[in-house]
Amino acid sequence: MAEPYYITTAISYPNGRPHIGHAYEAVAADVIARFQRLAGRDVRFQTGTDEHGLKMAQKARDLGVTPKQLADEMSSYFIEMCDVLNVRYDVFLRTTEARHHASTQELWRRMAVSGDIYPDRYEGWYSIRDEAYYDASELIDGEGGQKLSPQGTPVEWTVEESWFFRLSAYGERLLALYRDHPEFIQPESRRNEVMRFVESGLRDLSVSRTSFDWGVKVPGSEDHVMYVWVDALTNYLTGLGFPDDTPEFAKWWPADLHLIGKDIVRFHAVYWPAFLMSANVPLPKQVFGHGFMLNKGRKESKSLGNVTDPLDLARSFGVDALRYFLMREVVFGQDGNYTPAAIVTRANAELANSYGNLVQRICSMIFKNMEGEIKSFPIAEPDTRLLAQVRSACAVELPREFSALNLSGGIEAWMRGVFACNQYVDEQAPWTLKKTDPARMEAVLLTLFKAIRDLTIAISPVVPAAAAKVLDQLGIPDGERDLAALADEGWYARRVAAGIALGQPEGAFPRLDVPPEEEPAEA
Ligand code: ME8
């Protein structure tokens, strides 16, 4: 039976439409999920929206709607984003669902049973934008002496009766977790930050609010709603049916990967494992904090007026080109920049020219010069060498890098396979062989047919629609498009026996025009 793999994204605040950062995270999670399916794992992929808290309540009040109306409208745009970007989740969880309230309340009860919940009075700084408490020592000075959070968001002094979680009791156990499981927080730089934070001493956490009521009610203390992060983090359990003993929970928990952005690592790598330890629930295996996608070096914000709708980018450049760019351009884990011109340049150079053109040229030559016939052929030394190089890129290097979440590194390995094919085309010059040695031309084209099939299967998690189109054209059956198929030497003989002729190929990777306003900067 296939080994299960449970991956989650952060659940986004639906206080506005999705931005490029949301698209980046959703696409990355989808690429990882698709890759794990390709590797034969039984994957469950959960995403959703984080609908409670002050931030949502205030935004709704500003717009003159209820928080639920705001969440209903905006969460639909997050679902739409996933649909458009070909992000194939299994569960889209909304925290306003009744089952989520029940699940969060049960987690709370278990933490209370462990003696970790007690009443006290909170006095300190709170950032509504981050939905986070900060210690005075963490704050920075903004313009006019205004106090800001380390993320640069406004903070306000808050005094409230609240329930506390005994976070301070978990410092040693958390440090032991990070030491014993260095893979628990990745990349390494984030792990170091978290270790320093925990080593400096943890204070108990205020986990309920009384000044507003948009949240999950605290069991037995109905005038309190839970701190939004208690409820938000629990979404990862709710989607599996927690607290019931469901087959889903038994199969998929603990999660293999919580994929999140670098700004919320503390919540996932400190608070979340402490809550779970307290409630006696096993811990997730890994938290990966990816970097930020910046617009020409700056974070997008409504006040800077530089907010891009990721769906506009997908409409302008194509979903696969956008997905490829996002995964290829920056080392996963680091911050990256995007501009429309950079998307076009990358997609044109690699997808359209190096790879798309290879597919198009070779398939057309097979169609025109061989009536599309895929047949057995005598293989020569350069052909074997090329196929070994391509197989190594597709079946060894890319899977090794993708498994380690080095997505750009995996794509680079794949590009080396593409380059090897293009070099082989130049060296073998099939268009010359057409006149001098037609039998050898056929062997060269069919060698490339094999290589293209491997390359297309390997890159399919990144560009699923285009890859499916190419594999359809090549006549590769649906059930033979995974890593196991790459290792199966019998595929070509079966393909020959199937006797399907290659048709006139249709391009799967159009060349894009560089957007005019960007041309001067790029020229
Ligand atoms: O933090 N580039 O929601 P959110 C890349 N509700 N990623 C970015 C980004 C950017 N420019 N901006 C934000 C929340 N993100 C909470 C999560 S999880 C139990 C609760 C990432 O809508 C961000 O780091 O502010 C987070 O992982 C995700 O987008 C949702 O951010």
Side-chain angles (χ1 to χ4, degrees), residues 245-377:
D245 277 333
T246 60
E248 286 79 17
F249 193 81
K251 178 171 179 182
W252 271 292
W253 192 260
D256 291 86
L257 178 63
H258 290 321
L259 184 68
I260 54 162
K262 62 178 185 178
D263 57 328
I264 57 171
V265 170
R266 185 184 292 184
F267 302 95
H268 284 80
V270 181
Y271 300 172
W272 183 226
F275 295 163
L276 291 171
M277 285 172 184
S278 172
N280 289 311
V281 177
L283 308 183
K285 295 178 197 158
Q286 187 167 70
V287 171
F288 188 97
H290 62 72
F292 267 32
M293 257 299 140
L294 305 173
N295 187 338
K296 299 187 193 112
R298 304 176 80 171
K299 214 179 148 180
E300 294 195 342
S301 78
K302 295 204 179 81
S303 53
L304 287 172
N306 65 346
V307 179
T308 314
D309 182 342
L311 299 195
D312 284 343
L313 294 175
R315 278 181 212 107
S316 303
F317 308 123
V319 172
D320 284 324
L322 177 62
R323 288 174 60 111
Y324 185 83
F325 170 83
L326 291 174
M327 298 300 101
R328 168 72 167 116
E329 192 70 4
V330 276
V331 174
F332 199 53
Q334 296 180 5
D335 289 347
N337 270 296
Y338 80 93
T339 61
I343 298 172
V344 169
T345 305
R346 182 64 83 177
N348 278 349
E350 298 185 357
L351 276 185
N353 295 350
S354 297
Y355 169 66
N357 212 11
L358 171 78
V359 174
Q360 184 72 14
R361 270 207 295 174
I362 300 312
C363 291
S364 307
M365 284 189 80
I366 295 175
F367 173 71
K368 285 193 192 128
N369 302 304
M370 301 170 56
E371 292 168 348
E373 194 189 351
I374 305 304
K375 52 187 164 185
S376 28
F377 60 96

Side-chain angles (χ1 to χ4, degrees), residues 125-315:
W125 297 100
Y126 192 77
S127 158
I128 298 172
R129 286 252 294 276
D130 303 346
E131 296 281 20
Y133 299 96
Y134 291 106
D135 192 73
S137 63
E138 295 181 280
L139 302 183
I140 52 176
D141 287 324
E143 274 174 38
Q146 194 200 2
K147 295 275 179 219
L148 298 177
S149 79
Q151 316 281 350
T153 59
V155 289
E156 55 187 49
W157 185 253
T158 307
V159 179
E160 218 167 333
E161 294 304 316
S162 72
W163 291 98
F164 276 72
F165 172 74
R166 218 177 286 284
L167 185 62
S168 59
Y170 287 89
E172 282 311 313
R173 284 177 69 184
L174 289 169
L175 288 170
L177 166 69
Y178 311 146
R179 274 194 297 266
D180 297 347
H181 297 278
E183 74 291 351
F184 179 72
I185 313 171
Q186 285 295 317
E188 202 55 29
S189 55
R190 308 267 134 74
R191 175 166 177 265
N192 295 336
E193 277 165 28
V194 169
M195 287 191 72
R196 275 198 304 275
F197 174 71
V198 176
E199 277 162 359
S200 72
L202 293 174
R203 293 156 59 117
D204 289 350
L205 184 69
S206 164
V207 284
S208 75
R209 307 292 303 260
T210 46
S211 51
F212 64 97
D213 65 357
W214 180 238
V216 177
K217 288 199 180 335
V218 170
S221 187
E222 309 270 300
D223 51 334
H224 287 246
V225 290
M226 290 182 205
Y227 171 38
V228 63
W229 272 100
V230 176
D231 123 49
L233 290 160
T234 309
N235 93 85
Y236 304 130
L237 300 178
T238 306
L240 299 176
F242 181 84
D244 299 336
D245 277 333
T246 60
E248 286 79 17
F249 193 81
K251 178 171 179 182
W252 271 292
W253 192 260
D256 291 86
L257 178 63
H258 290 321
L259 184 68
I260 54 162
K262 62 178 185 178
D263 57 328
I264 57 171
V265 170
R266 185 184 292 184
F267 302 95
H268 284 80
V270 181
Y271 300 172
W272 183 226
F275 295 163
L276 291 171
M277 285 172 184
S278 172
N280 289 311
V281 177
L283 308 183
K285 295 178 197 158
Q286 187 167 70
V287 171
F288 188 97
H290 62 72
F292 267 32
M293 257 299 140
L294 305 173
N295 187 338
K296 299 187 193 112
R298 304 176 80 171
K299 214 179 148 180
E300 294 195 342
S301 78
K302 295 204 179 81
S303 53
L304 287 172
N306 65 346
V307 179
T308 314
D309 182 342
L311 299 195
D312 284 343
L313 294 175
R315 278 181 212 107

Side-chain angles (χ1 to χ4, degrees), residues 10-13 19 21-22 25 50 229 261 263-264 290 292-293:
I11 48 171
S12 309
Y13 293 120
H19 54 60
H22 294 124
E25 185 171 302
D50 183 1
W229 272 100
D263 57 328
I264 57 171
H290 62 72
F292 267 32
M293 257 299 140

